[in-house]
Each structure stands twice: as C-alpha cells, then as structure tokens.
Amino acid sequence: MPTDTPGLIGYALAGTLPVVVIGALLLRYTRGRAMTTSMAVLVLIPTLATLCGIVAVSGLMFGAEFERTAVVLAVVTAVTVPAAILLGRAQARATVWEREMLEQERAAERSRRELVAWVSHDLRTPLAGIRAMGEALEDGVVTRPEEVRRYADQIVRETNRLSAMVDDLFEMSKINAGALQLHLEPVDLREVIDEVLATNRPTAARAGITLSATQPADKVLVAGSERALGRVLTNLVANAIAHTPPGGRIDMSAGAADGQAWARVDDTGPGISETDLPRIFEVAYRGSSARSPGAAELGSSSGMGLAIAAGLVAAHHGDITARNRPEGARFEIRLPLLESAGRR
C-alpha cells in the first residue's frame, strides 16, 4: 500500500482510469438508445471508479475500513441509480416533447411560408385583372354598353373573389391564434346538409355534376355552431366540385354510431394522390388533380378551404379525415353526439 502522495495518486489513477474508459465506451454504445440507460451509466461511472481506486490504493487488502467504504458506496448506488433512471425518463419525455414542439413550429413556419406564396400569387391575378379592366374603362378603350357591362360584371366577380380570400385569411388567422369562439347549441346535421345542398346544387349543376344527399329518419344532434358546420360542409362540397369531372356525382350523407355523429362527402373524382393525402388539410394545399369547369365559381381558391374545415371541426372537439374509395374520395367529419358532447 503506497504511503506517499505521488504513489497514492498513481494507484488511484491506475484503478479509476480503466473504469472511466469502459464507461465512456458504454456511453458511446448506448448513444441514441434509451436515455435512462445513459443516465444510469453516468451515475455508475464515478461510483465504480471510486471503489476501484480504493481497491487499488489499499493493495487488495479488504479490511474493516474498506468494508465501511464499500457499504457507503453500495447505499449511494442504491439511491442514485433509481433516481437517475427516474430523471432519465423525465428528461426523455421532456426531450421528446421539445422535439415534437420544434417539429410543429417548423411545420407551422413552412405552412406560413406556403400560405404567403399562395396568397401573394392569387392576389396578383385578380388585382391585375381589375386594374387592366379599370384602366380600359377609364381610357375609353371600351365604350360599347354591352362591353362596359361585361367589364363591370367581371370587376365585381374579381372583387368578390378578393373579398372571399380576405375572409378566408381572417378565419384562418383566428383558428391559428386560438381566438376562434363558437356559440354551441343543439344542431341537427340533417338540416345543415339540407342547407348546404340547396346552396351548392346550382353550382354543381353548372359544372355538370349531380349533387345529392342521403339523410337518416332520426335527428342527428350535435352541440355545435350551425354557421361553422355549414362552412365545413360547404368547403368540402366545393372541394369535391372542384375535383370532380363533368358527369360525376357528389353524395352527402349523415348518421350516428358509437356515440358519435358523422357526415360524409363522397365524390367520383380522380381521388387523392398518395403524396398529397398526408397534407390534405394543410394550409395552402391544392393537390395535383385536374379542376372542373365549375371550380372558378367556388370563391377565393386560396387553398385554405380544407384547412379551415379542419380547424372548425377541431373547435367542435371532432375529427376530420380523408381517404380514397374505389371511385373517388371520401371526406368524413365525426363529432360527439349531443349527449356525449354535453358531458365535456
């Protein structure tokens, strides 16, 4: 057993360095694995290194003093290793949460950039048309009454399109900011579907598309905002009209099962590509399928219709999904039935 300080340091290093090296290799091996394992290894390294250093300095002489030291180290290990495992689990959860939040922030920022790009493009088109037609009227290039009337009608249509885009932006900003406040009251989904059907049937007819509804005999009551739910189904129907070729069909239906109410919009369009399907409800999503002749009459074409629908459904504590069928696509919303929603 060494008695001088340099000797003690040398023996201590000889006993502890191998433990530290092995611990570093273990940490390298467990990198990217469970954080609890890494935390346990980190706690065990100094404890075992201390024990090995004492063994080396004592010259493998295990006396009463060594036994007391070993007992203390065993108690320390018994306390610190479980604590390290618990802290590792907590840190792992926090890390996962932070990673998810960072990913959500990146996705939100990506959506905002896409939204700015889409809206900037779509705003320029009607504004350029309004400016050109306004200058033509101002300069007297168009003088015949029927042409003046046609230009005026086109200016009104483009202005309405801009107004609809601004409304979409305002609605989307309220949803993203969490400032959307809905006055919930008993609503029969059948009545909402009837209203949406009556409103959109002329547009569908002009596009050469048959729009129909299948309603159950009993009421389908939910706690919701009739205006917001009407907006949701209108957006879904407008999207279906925009992507269904002439001669196709769009069927609306409603029902209830397992404590949930559902409403569906089925079309006979080309469906949704597998690439687009995961992003169908993102802001500025437009997809890649061809648009029908009636698409130009459907409003702003801002790419926010499905995102707004998803936000409004979420505000009702519901879910919205999209999937392909053998012919066309199906959009479905599910909401708690009034009895279930009332207990929220």
mmCIF file of all heavy atoms in Angstrom, residues 219-254:
data_model
loop_
_atom_site.group_PDB
_atom_site.id
_atom_site.type_symbol
_atom_site.label_atom_id
_atom_site.label_comp_id
_atom_site.label_asym_id
_atom_site.label_seq_id
_atom_site.Cartn_x
_atom_site.Cartn_y
_atom_site.Cartn_z
ATOM 1 N N LYS A 219 -83.184 12.362 -36.032
ATOM 2 C CA LYS A 219 -82.299 13.520 -35.926
ATOM 3 C C LYS A 219 -80.879 13.079 -35.567
ATOM 4 O O LYS A 219 -80.679 12.086 -34.861
ATOM 5 C CB LYS A 219 -82.810 14.489 -34.859
ATOM 6 C CG LYS A 219 -84.102 15.212 -35.226
ATOM 7 C CD LYS A 219 -84.465 16.217 -34.144
ATOM 8 C CE LYS A 219 -85.717 16.999 -34.525
ATOM 9 N NZ LYS A 219 -86.090 18.001 -33.485
ATOM 10 N N VAL A 220 -79.922 13.843 -36.064
ATOM 11 C CA VAL A 220 -78.514 13.633 -35.715
ATOM 12 C C VAL A 220 -78.049 14.905 -35.018
ATOM 13 O O VAL A 220 -77.562 15.848 -35.641
ATOM 14 C CB VAL A 220 -77.651 13.344 -36.969
ATOM 15 C CG1 VAL A 220 -76.217 13.026 -36.557
ATOM 16 C CG2 VAL A 220 -78.229 12.186 -37.774
ATOM 17 N N LEU A 221 -78.226 14.922 -33.700
ATOM 18 C CA LEU A 221 -77.986 16.148 -32.931
ATOM 19 C C LEU A 221 -76.552 16.193 -32.406
ATOM 20 O O LEU A 221 -76.033 15.207 -31.870
ATOM 21 C CB LEU A 221 -78.956 16.238 -31.751
ATOM 22 C CG LEU A 221 -80.424 16.508 -32.089
ATOM 23 C CD1 LEU A 221 -81.275 16.490 -30.825
ATOM 24 C CD2 LEU A 221 -80.571 17.857 -32.802
ATOM 25 N N VAL A 222 -75.936 17.356 -32.570
ATOM 26 C CA VAL A 222 -74.611 17.615 -32.018
ATOM 27 C C VAL A 222 -74.635 18.984 -31.353
ATOM 28 O O VAL A 222 -75.520 19.808 -31.617
ATOM 29 C CB VAL A 222 -73.514 17.590 -33.108
ATOM 30 C CG1 VAL A 222 -73.432 16.230 -33.755
ATOM 31 C CG2 VAL A 222 -73.757 18.678 -34.152
ATOM 32 N N ALA A 223 -73.673 19.223 -30.485
ATOM 33 C CA ALA A 223 -73.504 20.551 -29.900
ATOM 34 C C ALA A 223 -72.530 21.308 -30.785
ATOM 35 O O ALA A 223 -71.340 20.997 -30.832
ATOM 36 C CB ALA A 223 -72.972 20.452 -28.468
ATOM 37 N N GLY A 224 -73.034 22.281 -31.524
ATOM 38 C CA GLY A 224 -72.158 22.965 -32.464
ATOM 39 C C GLY A 224 -72.714 24.297 -32.907
ATOM 40 O O GLY A 224 -73.779 24.737 -32.467
ATOM 41 N N SER A 225 -71.972 24.934 -33.785
ATOM 42 C CA SER A 225 -72.383 26.183 -34.416
ATOM 43 C C SER A 225 -72.888 25.857 -35.811
ATOM 44 O O SER A 225 -72.148 25.308 -36.628
ATOM 45 C CB SER A 225 -71.209 27.160 -34.482
ATOM 46 O OG SER A 225 -71.461 28.211 -35.388
ATOM 47 N N GLU A 226 -74.142 26.190 -36.065
ATOM 48 C CA GLU A 226 -74.717 25.878 -37.374
ATOM 49 C C GLU A 226 -73.962 26.579 -38.493
ATOM 50 O O GLU A 226 -73.725 25.996 -39.553
ATOM 51 C CB GLU A 226 -76.196 26.278 -37.398
ATOM 52 C CG GLU A 226 -76.909 25.858 -38.669
ATOM 53 C CD GLU A 226 -78.406 26.084 -38.593
ATOM 54 O OE1 GLU A 226 -78.889 26.486 -37.513
ATOM 55 O OE2 GLU A 226 -79.095 25.868 -39.605
ATOM 56 N N ARG A 227 -73.546 27.827 -38.249
ATOM 57 C CA ARG A 227 -72.803 28.554 -39.276
ATOM 58 C C ARG A 227 -71.461 27.889 -39.548
ATOM 59 O O ARG A 227 -71.059 27.697 -40.701
ATOM 60 C CB ARG A 227 -72.573 30.001 -38.825
ATOM 61 C CG ARG A 227 -71.879 30.870 -39.887
ATOM 62 C CD ARG A 227 -71.252 32.096 -39.280
ATOM 63 N NE ARG A 227 -70.130 31.755 -38.433
ATOM 64 C CZ ARG A 227 -68.894 31.519 -38.884
ATOM 65 N NH1 ARG A 227 -68.642 31.540 -40.181
ATOM 66 N NH2 ARG A 227 -67.927 31.220 -38.038
ATOM 67 N N ALA A 228 -70.743 27.498 -38.469
ATOM 68 C CA ALA A 228 -69.423 26.892 -38.652
ATOM 69 C C ALA A 228 -69.526 25.528 -39.318
ATOM 70 O O ALA A 228 -68.739 25.198 -40.222
ATOM 71 C CB ALA A 228 -68.716 26.773 -37.296
ATOM 72 N N LEU A 229 -70.493 24.714 -38.903
ATOM 73 C CA LEU A 229 -70.650 23.404 -39.522
ATOM 74 C C LEU A 229 -71.086 23.530 -40.975
ATOM 75 O O LEU A 229 -70.669 22.736 -41.829
ATOM 76 C CB LEU A 229 -71.659 22.570 -38.730
ATOM 77 C CG LEU A 229 -71.208 22.153 -37.321
ATOM 78 C CD1 LEU A 229 -72.322 21.398 -36.605
ATOM 79 C CD2 LEU A 229 -69.949 21.299 -37.388
ATOM 80 N N GLY A 230 -71.910 24.532 -41.252
ATOM 81 C CA GLY A 230 -72.268 24.787 -42.644
ATOM 82 C C GLY A 230 -71.058 25.179 -43.466
ATOM 83 O O GLY A 230 -70.927 24.763 -44.626
ATOM 84 N N ARG A 231 -70.154 25.962 -42.869
ATOM 85 C CA ARG A 231 -68.921 26.345 -43.566
ATOM 86 C C ARG A 231 -68.064 25.112 -43.843
ATOM 87 O O ARG A 231 -67.474 24.969 -44.933
ATOM 88 C CB ARG A 231 -68.147 27.357 -42.721
ATOM 89 C CG ARG A 231 -66.812 27.799 -43.329
ATOM 90 C CD ARG A 231 -67.036 28.755 -44.469
ATOM 91 N NE ARG A 231 -65.803 29.124 -45.121
ATOM 92 C CZ ARG A 231 -65.002 30.127 -44.745
ATOM 93 N NH1 ARG A 231 -65.311 30.859 -43.685
ATOM 94 N NH2 ARG A 231 -63.911 30.413 -45.417
ATOM 95 N N VAL A 232 -67.988 24.208 -42.877
ATOM 96 C CA VAL A 232 -67.188 22.993 -43.053
ATOM 97 C C VAL A 232 -67.702 22.182 -44.239
ATOM 98 O O VAL A 232 -66.946 21.826 -45.159
ATOM 99 C CB VAL A 232 -67.209 22.139 -41.771
ATOM 100 C CG1 VAL A 232 -66.588 20.766 -42.035
ATOM 101 C CG2 VAL A 232 -66.463 22.840 -40.651
ATOM 102 N N LEU A 233 -69.001 21.891 -44.237
ATOM 103 C CA LEU A 233 -69.562 21.062 -45.304
ATOM 104 C C LEU A 233 -69.543 21.792 -46.645
ATOM 105 O O LEU A 233 -69.350 21.167 -47.695
ATOM 106 C CB LEU A 233 -70.983 20.647 -44.941
ATOM 107 C CG LEU A 233 -71.086 19.669 -43.762
ATOM 108 C CD1 LEU A 233 -72.533 19.387 -43.410
ATOM 109 C CD2 LEU A 233 -70.372 18.356 -44.094
ATOM 110 N N THR A 234 -69.732 23.107 -46.629
ATOM 111 C CA THR A 234 -69.646 23.875 -47.879
ATOM 112 C C THR A 234 -68.247 23.783 -48.472
ATOM 113 O O THR A 234 -68.082 23.600 -49.688
ATOM 114 C CB THR A 234 -70.023 25.340 -47.623
ATOM 115 O OG1 THR A 234 -71.395 25.415 -47.215
ATOM 116 C CG2 THR A 234 -69.828 26.180 -48.880
ATOM 117 N N ASN A 235 -67.229 23.905 -47.626
ATOM 118 C CA ASN A 235 -65.852 23.787 -48.118
ATOM 119 C C ASN A 235 -65.582 22.398 -48.686
ATOM 120 O O ASN A 235 -64.904 22.247 -49.711
ATOM 121 C CB ASN A 235 -64.868 24.081 -46.990
ATOM 122 C CG ASN A 235 -64.800 25.563 -46.643
ATOM 123 O OD1 ASN A 235 -65.534 26.361 -47.215
ATOM 124 N ND2 ASN A 235 -63.946 25.916 -45.704
ATOM 125 N N LEU A 236 -66.099 21.363 -48.017
ATOM 126 C CA LEU A 236 -65.888 20.006 -48.513
ATOM 127 C C LEU A 236 -66.600 19.785 -49.841
ATOM 128 O O LEU A 236 -66.054 19.155 -50.757
ATOM 129 C CB LEU A 236 -66.367 18.990 -47.478
ATOM 130 C CG LEU A 236 -65.619 18.972 -46.141
ATOM 131 C CD1 LEU A 236 -66.172 17.881 -45.230
ATOM 132 C CD2 LEU A 236 -64.123 18.788 -46.339
ATOM 133 N N VAL A 237 -67.831 20.292 -49.948
ATOM 134 C CA VAL A 237 -68.565 20.154 -51.206
ATOM 135 C C VAL A 237 -67.887 20.953 -52.308
ATOM 136 O O VAL A 237 -67.765 20.489 -53.449
ATOM 137 C CB VAL A 237 -70.031 20.591 -51.021
ATOM 138 C CG1 VAL A 237 -70.742 20.678 -52.373
ATOM 139 C CG2 VAL A 237 -70.763 19.616 -50.110
ATOM 140 N N ALA A 238 -67.438 22.176 -51.998
ATOM 141 C CA ALA A 238 -66.748 22.992 -53.006
ATOM 142 C C ALA A 238 -65.485 22.298 -53.491
ATOM 143 O O ALA A 238 -65.172 22.295 -54.687
ATOM 144 C CB ALA A 238 -66.410 24.361 -52.418
ATOM 145 N N ASN A 239 -64.753 21.690 -52.562
ATOM 146 C CA ASN A 239 -63.554 20.951 -52.957
ATOM 147 C C ASN A 239 -63.913 19.766 -53.852
ATOM 148 O O ASN A 239 -63.219 19.473 -54.832
ATOM 149 C CB ASN A 239 -62.835 20.461 -51.704
ATOM 150 C CG ASN A 239 -61.608 19.629 -52.023
ATOM 151 O OD1 ASN A 239 -60.570 20.143 -52.397
ATOM 152 N ND2 ASN A 239 -61.733 18.311 -51.882
ATOM 153 N N ALA A 240 -65.018 19.083 -53.520
ATOM 154 C CA ALA A 240 -65.440 17.940 -54.337
ATOM 155 C C ALA A 240 -65.858 18.384 -55.731
ATOM 156 O O ALA A 240 -65.521 17.737 -56.729
ATOM 157 C CB ALA A 240 -66.596 17.210 -53.639
ATOM 158 N N ILE A 241 -66.584 19.505 -55.828
ATOM 159 C CA ILE A 241 -66.984 20.015 -57.145
ATOM 160 C C ILE A 241 -65.751 20.378 -57.970
ATOM 161 O O ILE A 241 -65.678 20.110 -59.168
ATOM 162 C CB ILE A 241 -67.911 21.237 -56.991
ATOM 163 C CG1 ILE A 241 -69.233 20.821 -56.330
ATOM 164 C CG2 ILE A 241 -68.194 21.887 -58.341
ATOM 165 C CD1 ILE A 241 -70.156 21.990 -56.023
ATOM 166 N N ALA A 242 -64.759 20.982 -57.285
ATOM 167 C CA ALA A 242 -63.559 21.428 -57.998
ATOM 168 C C ALA A 242 -62.744 20.261 -58.544
ATOM 169 O O ALA A 242 -61.977 20.433 -59.493
ATOM 170 C CB ALA A 242 -62.691 22.276 -57.074
ATOM 171 N N HIS A 243 -62.906 19.078 -57.966
ATOM 172 C CA HIS A 243 -62.081 17.946 -58.379
ATOM 173 C C HIS A 243 -62.879 16.802 -58.983
ATOM 174 O O HIS A 243 -62.350 15.699 -59.158
ATOM 175 C CB HIS A 243 -61.269 17.430 -57.177
ATOM 176 C CG HIS A 243 -60.239 18.404 -56.702
ATOM 177 N ND1 HIS A 243 -60.537 19.449 -55.851
ATOM 178 C CD2 HIS A 243 -58.918 18.512 -56.980
ATOM 179 C CE1 HIS A 243 -59.435 20.152 -55.614
ATOM 180 N NE2 HIS A 243 -58.444 19.604 -56.291
ATOM 181 N N THR A 244 -64.132 17.031 -59.310
ATOM 182 C CA THR A 244 -64.959 16.002 -59.943
ATOM 183 C C THR A 244 -65.230 16.399 -61.387
ATOM 184 O O THR A 244 -65.697 17.512 -61.646
ATOM 185 C CB THR A 244 -66.291 15.840 -59.188
ATOM 186 O OG1 THR A 244 -66.017 15.482 -57.831
ATOM 187 C CG2 THR A 244 -67.147 14.752 -59.827
ATOM 188 N N PRO A 245 -64.949 15.568 -62.339
ATOM 189 C CA PRO A 245 -65.170 15.918 -63.748
ATOM 190 C C PRO A 245 -66.660 15.971 -64.071
ATOM 191 O O PRO A 245 -67.496 15.402 -63.357
ATOM 192 C CB PRO A 245 -64.477 14.779 -64.503
ATOM 193 C CG PRO A 245 -64.467 13.636 -63.547
ATOM 194 C CD PRO A 245 -64.353 14.226 -62.183
ATOM 195 N N PRO A 246 -67.027 16.686 -65.134
ATOM 196 C CA PRO A 246 -68.441 16.734 -65.555
ATOM 197 C C PRO A 246 -69.004 15.333 -65.752
ATOM 198 O O PRO A 246 -68.327 14.433 -66.243
ATOM 199 C CB PRO A 246 -68.375 17.519 -66.868
ATOM 200 C CG PRO A 246 -67.123 18.337 -66.772
ATOM 201 C CD PRO A 246 -66.161 17.503 -65.999
ATOM 202 N N GLY A 247 -70.264 15.166 -65.351
ATOM 203 C CA GLY A 247 -70.901 13.869 -65.420
ATOM 204 C C GLY A 247 -70.745 13.050 -64.155
ATOM 205 O O GLY A 247 -71.328 11.970 -64.037
ATOM 206 N N GLY A 248 -69.975 13.561 -63.194
ATOM 207 C CA GLY A 248 -69.750 12.836 -61.952
ATOM 208 C C GLY A 248 -70.838 13.099 -60.925
ATOM 209 O O GLY A 248 -71.797 13.847 -61.166
ATOM 210 N N ARG A 249 -70.648 12.499 -59.745
ATOM 211 C CA ARG A 249 -71.624 12.621 -58.665
ATOM 212 C C ARG A 249 -70.922 13.012 -57.374
ATOM 213 O O ARG A 249 -69.763 12.652 -57.141
ATOM 214 C CB ARG A 249 -72.364 11.299 -58.428
ATOM 215 C CG ARG A 249 -73.335 10.896 -59.520
ATOM 216 C CD ARG A 249 -74.082 9.632 -59.085
ATOM 217 N NE ARG A 249 -74.723 9.800 -57.779
ATOM 218 C CZ ARG A 249 -75.935 10.322 -57.610
ATOM 219 N NH1 ARG A 249 -76.626 10.740 -58.667
ATOM 220 N NH2 ARG A 249 -76.458 10.432 -56.401
ATOM 221 N N ILE A 250 -71.668 13.742 -56.532
ATOM 222 C CA ILE A 250 -71.232 14.054 -55.174
ATOM 223 C C ILE A 250 -72.392 13.707 -54.248
ATOM 224 O O ILE A 250 -73.500 14.212 -54.430
ATOM 225 C CB ILE A 250 -70.840 15.536 -55.013
ATOM 226 C CG1 ILE A 250 -69.652 15.877 -55.908
ATOM 227 C CG2 ILE A 250 -70.505 15.840 -53.556
ATOM 228 C CD1 ILE A 250 -69.321 17.353 -55.930
ATOM 229 N N ASP A 251 -72.141 12.841 -53.291
ATOM 230 C CA ASP A 251 -73.180 12.381 -52.375
ATOM 231 C C ASP A 251 -72.839 12.819 -50.952
ATOM 232 O O ASP A 251 -71.724 12.538 -50.464
ATOM 233 C CB ASP A 251 -73.319 10.861 -52.431
ATOM 234 C CG ASP A 251 -73.743 10.369 -53.807
ATOM 235 O OD1 ASP A 251 -74.713 10.919 -54.353
ATOM 236 O OD2 ASP A 251 -73.091 9.443 -54.333
ATOM 237 N N MET A 252 -73.786 13.477 -50.306
ATOM 238 C CA MET A 252 -73.651 13.847 -48.907
ATOM 239 C C MET A 252 -74.508 12.907 -48.069
ATOM 240 O O MET A 252 -75.604 12.516 -48.488
ATOM 241 C CB MET A 252 -74.083 15.294 -48.687
ATOM 242 C CG MET A 252 -73.370 16.303 -49.559
ATOM 243 S SD MET A 252 -74.049 17.974 -49.370
ATOM 244 C CE MET A 252 -73.611 18.310 -47.668
ATOM 245 N N SER A 253 -74.023 12.569 -46.878
ATOM 246 C CA SER A 253 -74.784 11.683 -46.002
ATOM 247 C C SER A 253 -74.424 11.968 -44.557
ATOM 248 O O SER A 253 -73.397 12.602 -44.264
ATOM 249 C CB SER A 253 -74.500 10.208 -46.337
ATOM 250 O OG SER A 253 -73.113 9.933 -46.241
ATOM 251 N N ALA A 254 -75.299 11.519 -43.649
ATOM 252 C CA ALA A 254 -75.085 11.729 -42.222
ATOM 253 C C ALA A 254 -75.617 10.526 -41.464
ATOM 254 O O ALA A 254 -76.421 9.740 -41.978
ATOM 255 C CB ALA A 254 -75.765 13.013 -41.748
#
